[in-house]
């Protein structure tokens, strides 16, 4: 059996997202580098006082508002990111302290490129299902990097989301039907220690990396659960750009109308570890009880985590307890390349 199915039914008690206020238009980046064709419209940029940890804290606080639980009941906080501010010092402990969850908990930072957040989620599901914790929190947040003039600079955005996991009950707003993880050693994207910007193997990023892993993970999950694409009301895929997730949906036979509500890259950029988690948050902001959602992350290196979740009645009460993703997207201030370069320290080459 390939399906990852815990012994107990596990659900999402609370969720929360955060997207920085600042935006830079792709046409502004193109103006500086003489480019006239753009993959997205604009992307979110962290402010001078923001990093992956502050994004994670805001997302965690929003998740707590919806969960309506004492943070001291959370027994694990796992933080997934590839842009954590410290090379040696956990980010998860900072978040735990900020939300009042210390000291009786397990904390760790996860890394797997853009699927670090869903790796943390897989661990949280297992931790709660084992009985070792009543609640566990998984966070995915990034302030993604892109070398000046590289095509990643047009899409590498900032944002994140947090999910509090607990045993399925009337208080969970959605539950997991099952999950599946698929990984191989595919060198499509990497950043060595002490390098400021990542590198990418151009011909590996599409078919052998993103599409092979996302499609395989999605198909295997559906086969294991006995589900068809038509059984899902929404689908959220990792979104390095707008084109890739729509192409993946087309290959799987999923109409783009089911993908668009959670496809945010065109408006905030690729938030890396936060990409599918923020996308799922946006879908939960509008979903109805009974809706089934396909969720497939992707991380370079490479691998995918696929989940099937079903929305429960508690969503109606909980979703308005914290700001929605759309609230953050609409709260925007456009900046020029000079301020963007200062905020992202682009003078460090």
């Amino acid at each position: 059996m390939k399906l990852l199915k815990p012994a107990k039914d596990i659900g999402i008690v609370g969720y929360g997202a955060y997207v920085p206020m600042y935006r830079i238009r792709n046409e502004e980046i193109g103006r500086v580098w003489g480019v006239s064709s753009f993959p997205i419209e604009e992307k979110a940029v962290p402010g001078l006082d923001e990093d992956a940890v502050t994004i994670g804290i805001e997302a965690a606080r929003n998740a707590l508002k919806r969960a309506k639980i004492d943070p001291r009941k959370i027994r694990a906080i796992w933080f997934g990111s590839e842009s954590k501010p410290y090379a040696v010092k956990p980010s998860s402990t900072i978040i735990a302290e900020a939300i009042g969850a210390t000291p009786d908990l397990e904390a760790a930072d996860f890394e797997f490129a853009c699927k670090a957040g869903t790796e943390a989620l897989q661990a949280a599901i297992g931790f709660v299902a084992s009985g070792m914790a009543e609640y566990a929190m998984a966070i995915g947040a990034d302030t993604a990097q892109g070398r000046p003039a590289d095509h990643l600079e047009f899409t590498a955005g900032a944002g994140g989301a947090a999910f509090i996991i607990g045993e399925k009950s009337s208080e969970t707003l959605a539950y997991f039907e099952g999950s599946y993880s698929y990984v191989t050693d595919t060198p499509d994207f990497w950043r060595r220690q002490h390098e400021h910007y990542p590198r990418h193997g151009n011909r590996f990023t599409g078919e052998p990396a993103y599409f092979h892993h996302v499609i395989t993970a999605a198909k295997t999950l559906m086969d294991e659960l006995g589900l068809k694409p038509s059984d899902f009301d929404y689908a959220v895929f990792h979104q390095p750009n707008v084109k890739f997730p729509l192409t993946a949906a087309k290959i799987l036979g999923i109409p783009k109308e089911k993908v668009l509500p959670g496809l945010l890259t065109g408006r905030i950029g690729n938030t890396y570890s936060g990409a599918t988690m923020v996308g799922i948050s946006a879908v939960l902001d509008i979903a109805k009880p009974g809706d089934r959602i396909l969720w497939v992350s992707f991380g370079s290196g490479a691998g995918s985590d696929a989940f099937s979740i079903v929305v429960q009645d508690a969503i109606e009460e909980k979703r308005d307890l914290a700001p929605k993703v759309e609230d953050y997207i609409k709260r925007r201030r456009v900046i020029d390349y000079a301020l963007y370069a200062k905020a992202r320290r682009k003078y460090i080459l």
Side-chain angles (χ1 to χ4, degrees):
M1 182 177 178
K2 299 178 181 179
L3 185 71
L4 298 175
K5 179 71 174 176
K8 297 180 181 178
D9 289 330
I10 302 300
I12 299 168
V13 181
Y15 72 95
Y18 177 78
V19 179
M21 176 177 65
Y22 296 104
R23 305 283 189 276
I24 183 168
R25 303 279 297 172
N26 262 201
E27 61 187 13
E28 171 66 3
I29 300 174
R31 179 188 66 80
V32 172
W33 300 115
V35 177
S36 58
S37 178
F38 314 118
I40 64 172
E41 294 179 13
E42 63 183 28
K43 67 177 188 176
V45 179
L48 291 171
D49 60 347
E50 291 185 310
D51 58 26
V53 169
T54 64
I55 290 171
I57 290 170
E58 292 300 319
R61 286 172 173 165
N62 286 335
L64 275 170
K65 289 176 183 177
R66 291 192 172 103
K68 298 192 298 183
I69 63 170
D70 186 332
R72 290 172 295 182
K73 289 186 176 182
I74 299 173
R75 297 306 301 271
I77 292 181
W78 289 317
F79 177 72
S81 179
E82 65 176 68
S83 55
K84 57 182 185 176
Y86 294 97
V88 180
K89 184 190 184 307
S91 298
S92 53
T93 55
I94 304 172
I95 297 171
E97 195 77 55
I99 67 172
T102 54
D104 300 316
L105 83 162
E106 210 279 340
D109 294 356
F110 280 58
E111 291 186 14
F112 197 132
C114 295
K115 85 176 187 84
T118 54
E119 285 286 342
L121 183 64
Q122 291 279 42
I125 292 170
F127 203 57
V128 172
S130 74
M132 291 180 66
E134 184 177 4
Y135 302 108
M137 177 183 285
I139 305 167
D142 263 308
T143 56
Q145 315 93 359
R147 184 182 298 276
D150 187 275
H151 73 76
L152 287 177
E153 187 178 32
F154 289 88
T155 57
F163 290 81
I164 298 174
I165 304 304
E167 193 170 344
K168 180 187 174 186
S169 71
S170 60
E171 293 300 310
T172 47
L173 50 85
Y175 68 91
F176 294 92
E177 291 187 295
S179 63
Y180 171 72
S181 295
Y182 180 81
V183 301
T184 70
D185 183 21
T186 304
D188 61 313
F189 177 95
W190 66 93
R191 177 168 59 85
R192 287 189 177 274
Q193 191 165 352
H194 307 305
E195 289 186 348
H196 191 67
Y197 297 110
R199 300 175 183 270
H200 46 89
N202 292 302
R203 68 186 183 89
F204 288 95
T205 59
E207 189 59 38
Y210 180 92
F211 290 107
H212 174 66
H213 293 81
V214 168
I215 299 303
T216 300
K219 285 185 174 179
T220 303
L221 178 72
M222 286 189 279
D223 288 344
E224 291 286 305
L225 289 172
L227 297 172
K228 306 182 297 297
S230 58
D231 292 322
F232 293 91
D233 299 282
Y234 297 97
V236 176
F237 301 98
H238 179 59
Q239 39 202 267
N241 49 47
V242 175
K243 181 179 178 181
F244 275 24
L246 290 177
T247 301
K250 185 176 181 180
I251 293 170
L252 291 167
I254 298 174
K256 70 177 183 179
E257 290 75 21
K258 295 184 178 183
V259 180
L260 293 177
L263 181 53
L264 308 176
T265 294
R267 304 167 71 193
I268 63 173
N270 176 11
T271 56
Y272 283 36
S273 297
T276 58
M277 300 179 86
V278 177
I280 285 291
S281 298
V283 170
L284 289 174
D285 285 342
I286 62 172
K288 303 185 300 295
D291 284 347
R292 178 180 282 118
I293 306 168
L294 175 64
W295 176 356
V296 189
S297 66
F298 171 76
S300 292
S304 285
D305 297 319
F307 306 85
S308 176
I309 64 175
V310 177
V311 180
Q312 297 176 246
D313 292 341
I315 191 69
E316 302 285 13
E317 172 201 352
K318 291 190 170 187
R319 72 168 125 230
D320 292 324
L321 298 178
K324 297 177 181 178
V325 174
E326 191 64 28
D327 296 329
Y328 286 117
I329 293 178
K330 289 180 177 178
R331 188 200 65 152
R332 57 190 285 276
R333 176 184 170 188
V334 177
I335 61 176
D336 61 16
Y337 195 90
L339 185 55
Y340 160 70
K342 180 180 179 181
R344 301 300 290 132
R345 295 174 172 84
K346 290 288 181 177
Y347 47 81
I348 301 175
L349 300 178

